[in-house]
Amino acid sequence: MIKLSKRQDEILQIVKQNGPITGKKIADKLSVTRAALRPDLAILTMSGKLEARPRVGYYFNDKFELKQQAQQFIYQKVADFKAHPIVVEKSTSVYNAVVQLFLEDVGTLYTVDSEGHLAGVISRKDLLRAALGNRNLQELPVSVIMTRMPNIITIFPEESLLEAAKKMINYHIDSLPVVKEVDQQKNTYLLLGRITKTTITRAYVEIMEGKTV
Ligand code: ADP
């Protein structure tokens, strides 16, 4: 992104508030000549921030601003948006996992092994599927129904929200555990947090409303 000069920024603000506005009127507002403004107006129109229409004048390009805000997504890190992961014991019953889902108001639970490494993911559908099986949900441990390592799709804190969104779309899942690698060969990861479709939606709104830049 190019850094605007103070003068260019002033022009942009004038056009934002008064557009469409002629070059002459912008020059008058800044108490300079029309000729003195020509290079700045050229830069602003060439970069797409302003548009010029003959006999109408300069006006602000809303779409350009929107596109720039949308592009901010690429720079947002998973680390800054991750939520707290809700962990249950592998021996927890499916029944208690359902209760936990409501108590914590989440859609996905995680299990970890004795060393705290990510071991399993239990989603709403996993629990519903188990319930359809007519089994005794108070007896059935979540370890039987969970998606386990090495099949869990993970994300690192330093990756972008865009990467997280793409993974969720590509793998048809609602959330990703945020992890730190312990041993790649043994597939061991420490569970740091979670990124969900809700997290992504919230980040989108914050970025578009200009709260995060
Ligand atoms: P829901 O069941 O609420 O629709 P998901 O779409 O996230 O939630 O889950 C669908 C399936 O994918 C479930 O079997 C779940 O265990 C599995 N799953 C969820 N998250 C992951 C993940 N990060 N990596 C691998 N599998 C996952």
Side-chain angles (χ1 to χ4, degrees), residues 4-194:
L4 296 184
S5 71
K6 186 164 169 282
R7 166 65 54 79
Q8 288 160 3
D9 219 19
E10 282 170 345
I11 298 173
L12 217 52
Q13 292 315 315
I14 290 174
V15 179
K16 229 183 204 182
Q17 282 158 22
N18 306 281
I21 178 169
T22 62
K24 175 77 177 70
K25 284 199 181 130
I26 302 172
D28 288 348
K29 279 187 185 285
L30 290 169
S31 310
V32 294
T33 64
R34 170 78 181 80
L37 279 192
R38 209 156 275 145
D40 290 324
L41 285 170
I43 287 172
L44 290 171
T45 42
M46 275 188 312
S47 64
K49 291 188 172 63
L50 291 188
E51 291 209 45
R53 235 180 245 159
R55 285 186 300 280
V56 179
Y58 292 91
Y59 60 96
F60 189 68
N61 189 352
D62 287 326
K63 282 208 189 89
F64 180 83
E65 199 179 39
L66 268 180
K67 197 167 164 216
Q68 279 210 322
Q69 279 171 320
Q71 279 171 349
Q72 288 293 333
F73 223 83
I74 299 167
Y75 304 110
Q76 304 302 319
K77 297 277 171 264
V78 160
D80 298 326
F81 285 89
K82 69 177 164 43
H84 186 67
I86 307 300
V87 175
V88 295
E89 295 282 332
K90 274 191 229 175
S91 57
T92 305
S93 69
V94 167
Y95 185 95
N96 280 334
V98 173
V99 171
Q100 203 64 10
L101 214 63
F102 282 103
L103 284 179
E104 299 286 351
D105 195 15
V106 292
T108 313
L109 302 168
Y110 299 101
T111 64
V112 294
D113 66 17
S114 53
E115 283 151 272
H117 302 147
L118 176 63
V121 173
I122 307 134
S123 80
R124 276 175 284 227
K125 247 178 259 151
D126 297 328
L127 296 167
L128 283 171
R129 196 183 304 114
L132 279 181
N134 269 337
R135 283 174 285 192
N136 184 351
L137 302 186
Q138 313 244 24
E139 303 275 302
L140 185 66
V142 289
S143 55
V144 176
I145 63 153
M146 69 190 189
T147 299
R148 55 186 63 240
M149 271 307 198
N151 298 324
I152 302 175
I153 313 297
T154 58
I155 191 125
F156 296 121
E158 58 278 13
E159 287 188 82
S160 72
L161 284 188
L162 185 65
E163 280 304 322
K166 280 187 189 166
K167 275 191 179 174
M168 285 193 262
I169 302 268
N170 291 343
Y171 292 98
H172 304 277
I173 47 182
D174 291 349
S175 71
L176 295 167
V178 182
V179 295
K180 184 177 156 199
E181 191 175 278
V182 180
D183 187 332
Q184 195 183 19
Q185 258 150 26
K186 287 196 206 143
N187 253 316
T188 45
Y189 298 93
L190 273 182
L191 180 61
L192 304 176
R194 67 193 161 93

